Amino acid sequence: MFKLDNEKALLDAFRPKDRPLVELPAGLTFPRFVHHSLAWTHPAGGHVYVVFAVPGGVPTGIAFQSNGGGPPVAHMCEWCHRSAPGNQVALLTARINANRSAGVQVCSDLACRQHVEDEADRQGKSAVPGLHALLERMGRFAHDALGIDLNGGR
């Protein structure tokens, strides 16, 4: 869990080059205590945002471009391992630099945390191990694909 004291703290979780892309959801209040992750979609579509923190790390934001869903065949989310139709699991991309992007096949609304919790509830198990694995996979993408320092450097 981590705390976001204000809008500036939330925006500071994103890389400086991504901050102009971020539009906060209506009704978001501060301070906000975040359990594992916070995700939302741009009101007009086209972008999806997630802020998370790996254990011992700082809040980290990723601004994804969403190109809509894929074909209506099932895909598996690389983060929460949920299988769903192409309009619910899609390739989301994030900028590495002006010429390169990295993509990941994930839930198109980035509601992976909720999916992990729902699956644990259905199985009568604790969601904690699944949530830790989810944060680890999110962190691996942020670090390995985007070059984000999860301990505070940008």
Side-chain angles (χ1 to χ4, degrees):
M1 176 171 20
F2 57 94
K3 180 182 176 188
L4 297 169
D5 289 317
N6 51 43
E7 184 175 311
K8 181 183 180 322
L10 175 58
L11 291 172
D12 285 348
F14 290 88
R15 298 176 295 176
K17 64 182 164 191
D18 290 335
R19 290 178 193 150
L21 302 173
V22 178
E23 184 169 329
L24 300 180
L28 189 65
T29 59
F30 297 96
R32 177 163 294 283
F33 291 92
V34 178
H35 295 277
H36 307 290
S37 65
L38 172 66
W40 69 97
T41 58
H42 188 281
H47 287 92
V48 186
Y49 312 98
V50 65
V51 177
F52 66 97
V54 297
V58 297
T60 302
I62 303 175
F64 285 102
Q65 288 184 309
S66 174
N67 299 319
V73 298
H75 298 292
M76 184 179 82
C77 173
E78 293 181 33
W79 287 355
C80 69
H81 294 167
R82 171 181 175 249
S83 291
N87 63 341
Q88 295 176 27
V89 175
L91 178 66
L92 300 182
T93 59
R95 294 186 314 171
I96 296 172
N97 58 40
N99 300 317
R100 295 177 43 219
S101 294
V104 61
Q105 191 88 4
V106 292
C107 293
S108 55
D109 60 359
L110 293 178
C112 298
R113 179 186 56 82
Q114 186 62 48
H115 300 305
V116 168
E117 291 174 348
D118 291 346
E119 182 63 23
D121 286 346
R122 279 192 292 278
Q123 294 180 8
K125 296 180 179 180
S126 170
V128 172
L131 291 170
H132 283 255
L134 171 64
L135 289 175
E136 189 272 325
R137 291 194 268 303
M138 293 167 84
R140 190 173 335 129
F141 175 78
H143 180 268
D144 295 351
L146 302 177
I148 296 174
D149 179 352
L150 301 173
N151 295 312
R154 296 278 177 238

